[in-house]
Structures are given as structure tokens and as C-alpha cells.
């Protein structure tokens, strides 16, 4: 038998006065399955276990959670990557209110995303065909547009934990730069003006937790650096 | 339940994927009181998983490209039961819809001249099949669905669309006249039940690939809209038509885009032979998906499969080089490493035909209006009910969808439904209000689960359903297996009617959602099974050992499954496009 010891954060607001950790034994039959598969096995033991999931292939961003201390997507994290000493500890993404078990309230995270006006703005009339964009200009969006809004980055960021209402956070800033970098967007100065205060961008301390956890291999710290450069260039 | 809160909208859109968001955008811009109700945050919808692109004659790769060629390919690909008026509408309106997406900001890949990048996909031709392979699929690398869905969500934010995110639609509410006047919905976070009143209810709930054990579909693809419509007594069209995508990753089921073959990849058997040259001498690996999937199964059945069990084949990409893979197929490289433990730049990917897409669904016209039949077999509009996207059967895909046509279907018909509803609302819509007993009827199945005190568990029953569908209604089908499958499903239905919901809590109760989803899977599976058993021919994705030929005399028709009697009827296919000559049925070769 190859039982995996899994410790899971539990909290049901209707019945629990405080959260607690619950232990499960899961028989993975020695296979190197994904953490999401382990959660499905746990749910068969205890149907009350709550977690989000959808695509199960790392593109929808539903199942961000904290696995043995590190944020990531349960569906593309094999046990071999996280399990230490036969033990797996699963907690909700840190820093956001918990609704139930591994399900967090992402309202603040989405609010910061909406704040950066995450849509293309172009003040010229739409042409009859597509707007042209050179492959070189399109290349500038690589590493930016692929964000899946899983919140692994922002919830690993101490600056976001402290000021989730004022600091846009790595996910929102990555998307902010995705539109600043788009040759088709004409709202650059308006976008920058919205970010000029001491909190929105400048609370980033460059510790790169966001880069370390991003399941898509994206680099929000670099994007934030680019925004800073643009803000400074604008100010002088 | 008389103290239930009610919410009132001009239009409620159930489902926040590509078609739902496109319909919502149209209505939000019009100023109508609209809401999108989605069981997941919209960017978690399955559209996000679409990879290769959106097929459309925007004349970028080939300045002489023509939407009529695209329409020809679509009709031929659908084995001639696609409605030609609908295919005409989709292919001719397509360029407008794609350019709109670009103007909204969708980050398409580009050619050197700055226009949108297009790649070859299966079943594409120039000059009505006479001019060789076309390159007509517009792509954002191999993440087109992700780029499209996020762009649509972003533009809905821009236009202040109302979202009911993480809400679950339980059932449709019908008034005394049989008009659809809203639905019962549950806020997943709190468990609160709400009566949603609406003059237009749009089912944009996507597919139901989870009726099969092995599928490329997301875990949320449980056919909720199909289940709701069937329980409300409405017929389903062409439900036997399920597409098995040639390249699902062996073991995991995750999709590997047809774009891999469009970029020059090809399939090989255990002898290293490029076997598609034998089955489709012209199009080879870019034949229709049904043709390629069947050829793969033939190779496996005849002992030329790969691996220890000889139960899959290989997709070879290494000859494309790391640069092409990194630029055009970066997501595939990622998925192969994660789910097949293979670096496609060095080794081939093990693949097997995997359930991918539901060509059937709620029959609609090009405006998204749901259709049923009157007693004389004539089409009749269902008042108040609309459908678009994979949940609908317009039908542009007929018996087999072409790659890249799904994303186009979503935006063209999401937009069309939105535009039609706007004009209908402007003209004024009045339906009778639902009575308490109408509402009670829509609450019935939820009450059943909530009152259950014992019985079998949801995950075990779901697994059984998926195994039945997998073994008896797969790529190749035959009478005795299907009869057996229909019988087993009937037994399963009884057991599901007595199954147990153990967790009765209110806050984010995913066990309750999964129980409600199981009811929908059951409805979809049964409609599929009976339709497949009754269509006694082979056409497109529906392939029978016992009836190996296409039968245009009896079956150049849509099938129509009636839930009340569990019987199959027929409905005429449209052969009268408005601006082009009819494409007459021909023998389908690639």
C-alpha cells in the first residue's frame, strides 16, 4: 500500500467557529497523479470537501491553492513535485477571506484587475478589416496576455497581503502592462496617470514571489519594472 | 418556497463562455437589463481551452480566399446534414465577427504584413475542393480560446454587463402557455435560491463531454442547458453526433490541437508509417476529424498501435524544430511535458481519439430561437427560449464539425442571438407570469436531492454512466452494444432518481452542484444513446459496423429526440441558402 498522508484546511461557515486541519489517507496506488486527482479521491471519502476546478489542464485558473507551502495549480502539479516525506498539506490561497475549505473570496483580486481597465482602448475609428500589427509589436505581448487570473502570484505577495485595496498586485499590473505594451492601445498616458500614486505600483518591493509561483511561467516583476520605467520617463 | 426572492431581467444568459459573453456584449451595449449567470467565473469556462484557432475567410493568408469555399468545406465536413442557410450565415458574417474581436483587442498572431496569422486546418480547401489545402484558421499561437474568452470578458467589463458569477441554473420556468419565462437559480456561495424572471432566456451552457469516461472537455462540461431543456419537454437534435478528436493525449485525455498537423506534424503507427496517406491520399492528416479518428482506431484494431498495449498512435512533431514549436505551439509543448512526460521537440506524443465536441443540441434558427415541432411535424418557435454555442444545434456542423468552426460558431451566433433579442425586446414581449405551481415544477429535482436520506453516491453513479457511454457509444457503434447500453442507462436513471446527497449545507456546496450536474449528464447520455441506436446509417461522426454506408434516402435528415416519449423523429435539413447555389450531397472523400 502506498498511502499518502494529506492534511487539508477545513472551514464551513455554517458549522465551524474556526478553521482546522483534517487528515486524510489517500491510496494513490503508487501513481504520480496530480494534486487535483488527490482532491477528487478525498471528495469521494468526504463529499463536503469544497474546492474549485474546471479545465483540469492548467488554463482556466480555477484551482489555485497552497500546496506544501507554495502556491500553484492543483491540476498541473504532480505529487512528485510537492510531496515531502509522504505528506501533503493543502491550504487555501493565503491572504484572501475563506468562503469554505479551499475556496477563497476573490472579490478584491478581481477588483484590482478591473481597476486597470483591462481592455483595449483605441480612440481612432475601427478600420474595415483588422488593425495591422507587426510580428515584432505582437511579440511584445508574449508573456503578458497568457495570464489565467488564478491569483497564485498576488496571494503570494506580502505587499498585496498588506494593501489588497491599494496595491494593484502582480496579476493586475501584468495585465496593465499587457495593454501599455500593445501597439494598438492609445490610452497610455491615461493608464499611467491612474497608477502614479505611492501604492498602486510602487508597493512592489521586487521580492519576486510572484515569478517563483506563476504556473504559466510569466514574470510580473519584469512587467512592473517596465511600468515603473514608463512612469519615471513620464515624470521627467 | 413562496418567500423566494426574485430577480427580473429583460434577458438572462445562462453560461459565461464564448457564445454567452458575445450575446451579453450585444445586449449590454443596447442598454437592455441583462445578466450573465455562470456556474464558474466566466474566464474559467471551457472556451478557454480552445487552442488552434477560429476558422474564417478573412483573406489574410490568401488574398483571394472566399467565404463560399469555407461554406463548401463546412457543408461537406458535416456530411451534408448541416443546414445550408445557417452555414451560409456563419461563413459570410464570420469576417465581421472576427474583425470585431481584433478591434476589441484579441492578441492574434501576425504575418509579416501585419495581418492576422492563419494556419491550415483539417477539411479546408480552396475553390470548392478543387484548389488544394487552404490556410483559413486565425490563431493566437495555440491559445486562441484563452485569448478570445478573456477579450470578450474584458469587453463585457468595459460595457458594464451584470454578472451572476458562481450561480447555478437549476431548471427552466415555463408558464401555463409553455413559454419559457425564466429559471430557478442558486447562488453557489450562499446556497440562496432565486426565481429569475426574464423575457428571453439564453442557454449558452456549452457541451457535455463528461458523459464519456475519456474526454478533452473540462470537468464542468455536464450539459446543463441540454438537461434543463429536455426536462422542460423540448426536443434535441442530432444528439448521436459526437466528435472524437483524433489527438487527445493518451491516458490524460487533454487536447492536442489539430494545428499541430496544420503546422506540419503527422500521425505514425508502431512501424513509423504515416498511415493517413493510405486513408486520405490527398488531405492526409488534414482530412475531416471523423475520418482521421476512424483511421487511427483501424490502425489500433489491426495491430499497428503503439505502446505496450498497442492502444494508441504517435503524433510526430520533432521535425518542425524548436523554433516553430516555441512560436506557434508553445501551449502544446507545455501540455505534452505535463501530461505525457514527453518533449515534442525530441519525441512523438502518444495520442488517441477522445470525445471532444457535441454537434447536436437544442435546435435553433440563425437568430438563436429554440425550435420544437408541432403535431404535424412543422417547426415551431419556443417562446422565450434561445440557445447558442455548443449547446445549440443551428446546425452548422451537421454530422461532423470542422476544426476552428466552433469558435466562429460561438461569436457569430452569440452575436446573432443578442441582436435578435434586442430587436424583439424593442418591439415588446409580453408573456404570462409563472404561477407558484410553475415555479414548484422547476424546483422538483432540487427538492428531491435535498430531501434524499440514503442511496448511492454521486461520483460512483457518474463513473458508471461514463463507462457505459465509453464502451457502447464510442467511435464505432453497433446495434447489440447500443441496445445493451440503452437498457443499462434506463436502469441507471432509476438509481440516480434514488441517489443520495450527503451534504445538505448551504455555503459553497459543490456536492449539491455535482448532484444536479449528474441529472443533466443522465439526460444527455440517454438522448445520445437512443438517437445513436435509431439512426441506422453511418454519417460523419456516427459510424456503425452494422450500417456502414451513408443512407441519403432515409437519413439525409436531422434526428429529433423527444424526451416525453423517448422516441426519435426526423427534421428536414435546410438546402436553400440565400445567395449561393445548393451544395448537393456527394460522396465524401479527402
Amino acid at each position: 500500500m502506498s498511502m499518502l498522508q494529506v492534511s487539508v484546511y477545513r472551514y464551513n461557515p455554517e458549522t465551524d467557529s474556526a478553521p482546522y486541519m483534517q487528515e486524510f489517507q489517500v491510496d494513490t496506488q503508487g501513481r504520480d497523479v496530480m494534486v487535483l486527482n488527490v482532491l477528487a479521491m478525498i471528495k469521494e471519502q468526504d463529499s463536503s470537501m469544497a474546492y474549485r476546478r474546471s479545465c483540469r489542464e492548467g488554463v482556466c485558473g480555477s484551482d489555485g491553492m497552497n500546496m506544501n507551502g507554495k502556491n500553484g495549480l492543483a491540476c498541473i502539479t504532480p505529487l512528485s513535485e510537492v510531496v515531502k516525506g509522504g505528506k501533503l498539506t493543502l491550504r487555501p490561497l493565503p491572504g484572501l477571506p475563506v468562503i469554505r475549505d479551499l475556496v477563497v473570496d476573490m472579490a478584491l483580486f478581481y477588483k484590482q484587475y478591473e481597476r486597470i481597465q483591462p481592455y483595449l482602448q483605441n480612440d481612432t475609428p475601427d478600420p474595415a478589416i483588422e488593425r495591422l500589427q507587426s510580428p515584432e509589436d505582437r511579440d511584445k505581448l508574449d508573456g503578458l496576455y497568457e495570464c489565467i487570473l488564478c491569483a497564485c502570484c498576488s496571494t503570494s505577495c506580502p505587499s498585496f497581503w498588506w494593501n489588497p485595496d491599494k496595491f494593484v498586485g502582480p496579476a493586475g499590473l501584468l495585465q496593465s502592462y499587457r495593454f501599455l505594451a500593445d501597439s494598438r492601445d492609445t490610452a497610455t498616458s491615461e493608464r499611467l496617470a491612474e497608477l502614479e500614486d505611492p501604492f498602486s505600483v510602487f508597493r512592489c518591493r521586487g521580492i519576486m514571489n510572484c515569478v517563483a509561483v506563476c504556473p504559466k511561467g510569466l514574470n510580473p516583476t519584469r512587467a512592473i519594472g517596465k511600468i515603473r520605467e514608463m512612469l519615471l520617463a513620464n515624470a521627467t | 418556497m413562496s418567500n423566494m426572492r426574485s430577480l427580473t431581467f429583460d434577458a438572462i444568459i445562462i453560461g459565461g463562455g464564448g457564445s454567452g459573453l458575445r450575446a451579453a456584449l450585444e445586449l449590454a451595449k443596447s442598454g437592455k437589463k441583462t445578466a450573465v449567470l455562470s456556474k464558474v467565473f466566466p474566464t474559467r469556462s471551457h472556451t478557454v481551452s480552445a487552442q488552434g484557432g477560429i476558422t474564417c475567410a478573412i483573406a489574410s493568408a490568401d488574398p483571394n480566399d472566399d467565404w463560399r469555399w469555407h461554406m463548401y468545406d463546412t457543408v461537406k465536413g458535416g456530411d451534408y446534414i448541416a443546414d445550408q442557410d445557417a452555414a451560409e450565415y456563419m461563413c459570410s458574417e464570420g469576417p465581421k465577427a472576427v474583425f470585431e474581436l481584433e478591434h476589441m483587442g484579441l492578441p492574434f498572431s501576425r504575418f509579416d504584413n501585419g495581418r492576422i496569422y492563419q494556419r491550415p486546418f483539417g477539411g479546408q480547401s480552396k475553390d470548392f475542393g478543387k484548389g488544394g489545402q487552404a490556410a483559413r484558421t486565425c490563431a493566437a499561437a495555440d491559445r486562441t480560446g484563452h485569448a478570445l474568452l478573456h477579450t470578450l470578458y474584458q469587453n463585457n467589463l468595459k460595457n458594464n454587463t451584470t454578472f451572476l458569477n458562481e450561480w447555478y441554473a437549476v431548471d427552466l420556468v415555463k408558464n401555463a402557455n409553455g413559454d419559457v419565462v425564466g429559471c430557478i437559480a442558486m447562488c453557489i456561495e450562499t446556497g440562496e435560491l432565486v426565481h429569475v424572471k426574464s423575457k428571453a432566456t439564453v442557454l449558452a451552457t456549452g457541451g457535455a463531454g463528461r458523459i464519456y469516461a475519456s474526454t478533452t472537455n473540462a470537468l464542468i462540461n455536464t450539459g446543463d442547458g441540454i438537461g434543463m431543456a429536455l426536462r422542460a419537454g423540448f426536443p434535441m437534435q442530432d444528439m448521436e453526433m459526437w466528435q472524437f478528436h483524433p489527438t487527445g493525449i493518451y491516458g490524460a485525455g487533454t487536447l492536442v490541437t489539430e494545428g499541430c498537423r496544420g503546422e506540419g506534424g503527422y500521425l505514425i503507427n508502431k512501424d513509423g508509417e504515416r498511415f493517413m496517406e493510405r486513408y486520405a491520399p490527398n488531405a492526409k492528416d488534414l482530412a475531416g476529424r471523423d475520418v482521421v479518428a476512424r483511421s487511427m482506431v483501424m490502425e489500433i484494431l489491426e495491430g499497428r498501435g503503439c505502446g505496450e498495449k498497442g492502444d494508441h498512435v504517435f503524433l510526430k512533431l520533432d521535425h518542425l524544430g524548436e523554433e516553430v514549436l516555441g512560436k506557434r505551439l508553445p501551449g502544446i509543448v507545455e501540455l505534452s511535458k505535463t501530461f505525457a512526460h514527453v518533449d515534442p521537440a525530441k519525441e512523438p506524443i502518444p495520442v488517441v481519439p477522445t470525445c471532444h465536441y457535441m454537434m447536436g443540441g437544442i435546435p435553433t434558427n440563425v437568430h438563436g430561437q429554440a425550435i420544437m415541432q408541432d403535431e404535424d411535424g412543422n417547426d415551431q418557435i419556443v417562446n422565450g427560449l434561445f440557445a447558442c454555442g455548443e449547446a445549440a444545434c443551428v446546425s452548422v456542423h451537421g454530422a461532423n464539425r470542422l476544426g476552428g468552426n466552433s469558435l466562429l460558431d460561438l461569436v457569430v451566433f452569440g452575436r446573432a442571438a443578442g441582436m435578435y433579442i434586442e430587436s424583439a425586446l424593442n418591439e415588446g414581449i409580453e408573456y404570462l407570469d409563472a404561477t407558484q405551481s410553475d415555479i414548484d415544477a422547476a424546483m422538483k429535482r432540487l427538492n428531491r436531492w435535498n430531501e434524499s436520506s440514503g442511496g448511492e453516491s454521486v461520483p460512483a453513479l457518474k463513473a458508471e454512466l461514463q463507462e457505459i457511454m465509453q464502451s457502447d457509444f464510442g467511435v464505432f457503434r453497433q446495434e447489440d452494444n447500443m441496445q445493451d447500453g440503452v437498457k443499462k442507462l434506463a436502469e441507471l436513471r432509476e438509481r440516480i432518481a434514488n441517489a443520495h446527497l450527503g451534504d445538505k449545507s448551504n455555503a459553497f456546496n459543490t456536492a449539491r452542484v455535482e448532484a444536479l450536474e449528474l441529472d443533466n449528464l443522465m439526460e444527455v447520455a440517454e438522448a445520445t444513446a437512443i438517437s445513436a441506436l435509431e439512426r441506422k446509417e453511418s454519417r460523419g461522426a456516427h459510424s456503425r459496423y452494422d450500417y456502414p454506408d451513408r443512407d441519403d434516402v432515409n437519413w439525409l435528415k436531422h434526428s429529433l429526440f423527444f424526451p416525453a416519449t423517448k422516441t426519435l423523429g426526423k427534421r428536414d435539413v435546410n438546402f436553400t441558402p440565400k445567395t449561393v447555389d445548393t451544395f448537393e450531397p456527394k460522396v465524401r472523400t479527402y
Side-chain angles (χ1 to χ4, degrees):
Chain A
M1 290 293 271
S2 45
M3 296 302 262
L4 178 71
Q5 172 87 15
V6 191
S7 181
V8 191
Y9 181 101
R10 300 302 307 268
Y11 174 67
N12 180 343
E14 292 165 73
T15 50
D16 302 328
S17 56
Y20 62 98
M21 299 303 289
Q22 186 178 357
E23 305 299 318
F24 291 92
Q25 302 282 324
V26 178
D27 183 7
T28 60
Q29 297 171 331
R31 290 173 303 149
D32 186 19
V33 296
M34 301 294 174
V35 172
L36 184 64
N37 302 122
V38 171
L39 274 167
M41 293 175 212
I42 289 174
K43 197 167 174 67
E44 285 188 33
Q45 292 180 29
D46 179 351
S47 67
S48 73
M49 170 68 65
Y51 56 95
R52 292 186 176 104
R53 84 286 182 277
S54 173
C55 76
R56 63 80 172 90
E57 58 187 17
V59 295
C60 81
S62 296
D63 62 353
M65 61 186 66
N66 189 277
M67 300 169 283
N68 276 356
K70 191 177 171 186
N71 290 355
L73 298 179
C75 61
I76 53 168
T77 303
L79 293 178
S80 56
E81 213 173 87
V82 283
V83 171
K84 304 247 159 47
K87 198 164 181 304
L88 177 64
T89 301
L90 301 176
R91 294 173 179 274
L93 289 173
L96 293 176
V98 173
I99 294 173
R100 174 170 175 174
D101 299 340
L102 299 173
V103 178
V104 292
D105 180 350
M106 295 177 73
L108 271 171
F109 173 81
Y110 293 138
K111 204 171 147 195
Q112 291 296 355
Y113 172 68
E114 288 170 26
R115 211 190 107 188
I116 60 98
Q117 304 191 337
Y119 38 81
L120 192 81
Q121 299 178 56
N122 187 306
D123 53 16
T124 62
D126 291 336
I129 59 165
E130 71 269 43
R131 287 197 164 83
L132 300 183
Q133 184 174 47
S134 71
E136 295 72 32
D137 279 339
R138 170 58 184 77
D139 283 351
K140 291 174 187 159
L141 308 182
D142 283 341
L144 304 172
Y145 82 95
E146 302 94 323
C147 173
I148 58 173
L149 300 177
C150 65
C152 285
C153 62
S154 292
T155 61
S156 71
C157 173
S159 295
F160 189 75
W161 295 338
W162 279 108
N163 296 107
D165 53 336
K166 292 189 217 147
F167 174 48
V168 174
L173 289 169
L174 186 80
Q175 285 320 290
S176 178
Y177 185 61
R178 175 249 174 277
F179 290 99
L180 287 166
D182 196 322
S183 61
R184 301 170 296 171
D185 192 277
T186 57
T188 304
S189 42
E190 293 85 347
R191 291 182 185 280
L192 290 174
E194 289 291 317
L195 298 172
E196 265 176 346
D197 63 280
F199 282 90
S200 298
V201 177
F202 289 99
R203 280 285 138 162
C204 170
R205 302 296 188 218
I207 61 167
M208 298 178 75
N209 277 11
C210 54
V211 183
V213 299
C214 177
K216 304 308 287 182
L218 310 179
N219 190 328
T221 307
R222 186 165 58 210
I224 294 168
K226 300 269 192 191
I227 298 175
R228 281 180 166 167
E229 282 170 25
M230 292 177 89
L231 283 167
L232 291 172
N234 230 23
T236 51
Chain B
M1 283 294 165
S2 53
N3 56 353
M4 199 192 306
R5 185 160 69 106
S6 66
L7 292 170
T8 305
F9 298 101
D10 291 325
I12 182 80
I13 293 158
I14 304 173
S19 70
L21 291 186
R22 188 62 192 81
L25 187 57
E26 209 60 41
L27 286 161
K29 283 186 198 164
S30 75
K32 302 298 176 198
K33 195 176 177 210
T34 314
V36 175
L37 187 150
S38 173
K39 65 177 174 176
V40 295
F41 183 77
T43 64
R44 327 279 184 218
S45 308
H46 186 55
T47 302
V48 82
S49 291
Q51 298 173 349
I54 175 165
T55 301
C56 186
I58 61 162
S60 167
D62 172 5
N64 299 316
D65 200 8
D66 191 319
W67 66 261
R68 294 165 192 85
W69 301 347
H70 179 198
M71 179 186 164
Y72 166 83
D73 293 344
T74 300
V75 169
K76 177 187 171 187
D79 222 349
Y80 298 96
I81 59 164
D83 287 314
Q84 298 200 10
D85 59 339
E88 175 188 40
Y89 184 85
M90 179 177 80
C91 298
S92 62
E93 287 288 304
K96 207 184 299 172
V98 169
F99 293 140
E100 276 174 358
L101 288 170
E102 196 282 336
H103 298 154
M104 288 180 213
L106 200 157
F108 283 110
S109 302
R110 302 285 172 157
F111 284 120
D112 283 344
N113 65 4
R115 293 209 60 191
I116 292 171
Y117 174 73
Q118 292 184 293
R119 59 164 56 109
F121 247 54
Q124 292 180 357
S125 75
K126 298 181 184 185
D127 196 17
F128 308 107
K130 299 186 289 261
Q133 176 74 41
R136 194 175 289 130
T137 301
C138 311
D142 57 358
R143 304 188 177 100
T144 316
H146 169 278
L148 184 148
L149 186 63
H150 280 251
T151 301
L152 284 175
Y153 180 64
Q154 291 162 351
N155 278 270
N156 273 286
L157 288 178
K158 186 179 179 181
N159 286 283
N160 299 310
T161 303
T162 302
F163 283 99
L164 298 171
N165 291 336
E166 296 184 327
W167 281 61
Y168 188 80
V170 178
D171 257 323
L172 297 172
V173 175
K174 291 202 296 185
N175 68 13
N177 297 334
D179 311 323
V180 174
V181 291
C183 67
I184 298 297
M186 177 177 76
C187 171
I188 297 174
E189 182 176 336
T190 62
E192 185 194 6
L193 287 165
V194 170
H195 173 207
V196 178
K197 298 180 185 174
S198 179
K199 291 172 184 162
T201 301
V202 183
L203 295 174
T205 49
R210 286 284 153 184
I211 62 168
Y212 286 92
S214 172
T215 172
T216 64
N217 283 195
L219 292 158
I220 58 170
N221 285 24
T222 51
D224 298 330
I226 308 294
M228 282 189 275
L230 283 169
R231 275 189 302 275
F234 300 121
M236 279 309 129
Q237 182 167 286
D238 295 338
M239 285 302 289
E240 65 279 25
M241 299 301 178
W242 282 86
Q243 179 164 82
F244 290 80
H245 195 291
T247 55
I249 292 181
Y250 172 68
T254 44
L255 174 69
V256 174
T257 175
E258 186 168 292
C260 290
R261 284 170 283 139
E263 297 287 346
Y266 54 87
L267 297 162
I268 53 175
N269 60 21
K270 73 168 183 186
D271 304 321
E273 183 205 7
R274 185 175 181 181
F275 59 85
M276 279 313 297
E277 289 177 336
R278 275 190 276 118
Y279 296 93
N282 297 313
K284 300 185 181 88
D285 296 81
L286 290 178
R289 285 179 178 172
D290 57 333
V291 175
V292 180
R294 275 194 293 276
S295 307
M296 292 168 72
V297 173
M298 293 305 291
E299 287 300 294
I300 291 166
L301 291 175
E302 288 171 11
R304 291 187 294 277
C306 305
E308 270 178 36
K309 294 182 189 162
D311 58 354
H312 56 276
V313 300
F314 282 132
L315 173 64
K316 183 174 148 57
L317 298 176
D318 59 306
H319 57 286
L320 301 180
E322 288 201 31
E323 200 185 321
V324 170
L325 291 174
K327 188 95 196 156
R328 301 293 182 208
L329 303 166
I332 294 310
V333 175
E334 222 177 281
L335 281 169
S336 305
K337 287 180 179 169
T338 306
F339 289 102
H341 309 291
V342 155
D343 178 355
K346 301 191 177 89
E347 296 166 85
I349 309 170
V351 292
V352 71
T354 305
C355 167
H356 183 58
Y357 187 85
M358 177 178 77
M359 270 76 72
I362 300 159
T364 71
N365 59 21
V366 294
H367 307 299
Q369 293 177 284
I371 290 169
M372 57 185 185
Q373 270 186 346
D374 66 16
E375 283 159 11
D376 303 323
N378 300 312
D379 281 1
Q380 195 184 339
I381 301 291
V382 180
N383 285 333
L385 185 64
F386 296 79
C388 51
E390 192 170 340
C393 183
V394 186
S395 151
V396 286
H397 309 305
N400 170 64
R401 174 173 72 75
L402 289 192
N405 266 357
S406 175
L407 292 184
L408 188 65
D409 171 4
L410 303 185
V411 292
V412 167
F413 291 107
R415 177 173 169 269
M419 292 190 305
Y420 181 83
I421 293 167
E422 182 190 349
S423 65
L425 287 167
N426 286 340
E427 284 169 21
I429 300 176
E430 289 303 328
Y431 298 128
L432 273 183
D433 276 346
T435 62
Q436 188 57 44
S437 71
D438 296 330
I439 296 169
D440 290 345
M443 287 290 299
K444 211 173 119 193
R445 70 169 184 130
L446 179 60
N447 290 337
R448 209 291 296 165
W449 282 110
N450 285 341
E451 287 154 16
S452 68
S453 56
E456 294 180 85
S457 82
V458 170
L461 289 165
K462 180 160 59 182
E464 255 188 73
L465 181 146
Q466 292 167 332
E467 282 309 325
I468 294 169
M469 296 309 291
Q470 192 76 26
S471 62
D472 296 337
F473 302 93
V475 174
F476 286 105
R477 300 161 173 185
Q478 60 189 358
E479 186 86 6
D480 47 354
N481 286 10
M482 288 195 285
Q483 268 173 354
D484 190 42
V486 168
K487 207 182 332 164
K488 281 190 272 185
L489 285 173
E491 288 161 17
L492 197 66
R493 179 184 273 283
E494 290 302 308
R495 288 162 59 199
I496 289 174
N498 293 299
H500 183 216
L501 173 65
D503 181 3
K504 307 281 201 309
S505 64
N506 290 311
F508 222 100
N509 183 340
T510 53
R512 181 177 285 125
V513 173
E514 288 181 24
L516 293 167
E517 287 173 339
L518 178 62
D519 288 334
N520 293 328
L521 289 169
M522 184 65 233
E523 299 292 347
V524 177
E526 185 180 66
T528 298
I530 292 173
S531 305
L533 179 64
E534 295 299 325
R535 185 184 277 272
K536 298 192 190 313
E537 66 157 352
S538 289
R539 180 185 299 274
H542 179 61
S543 233
R544 295 184 58 146
Y545 285 123
D546 42 359
Y547 297 92
D549 299 321
R550 195 172 84 188
D551 175 3
D552 284 350
V553 175
N554 296 303
W555 284 104
L556 193 60
K557 297 276 181 189
H558 296 299
S559 72
L560 215 51
F561 171 78
F562 298 99
T565 50
K566 299 191 199 292
T567 52
L568 200 73
K570 293 179 184 177
R571 182 169 168 251
D572 286 341
V573 173
N574 179 290
F575 285 100
T576 51
K578 292 189 177 68
T579 64
V580 294
D581 292 338
T582 301
F583 295 115
E584 300 293 342
K586 284 191 286 198
V587 176
R588 187 165 160 256
T589 54
Y590 284 101

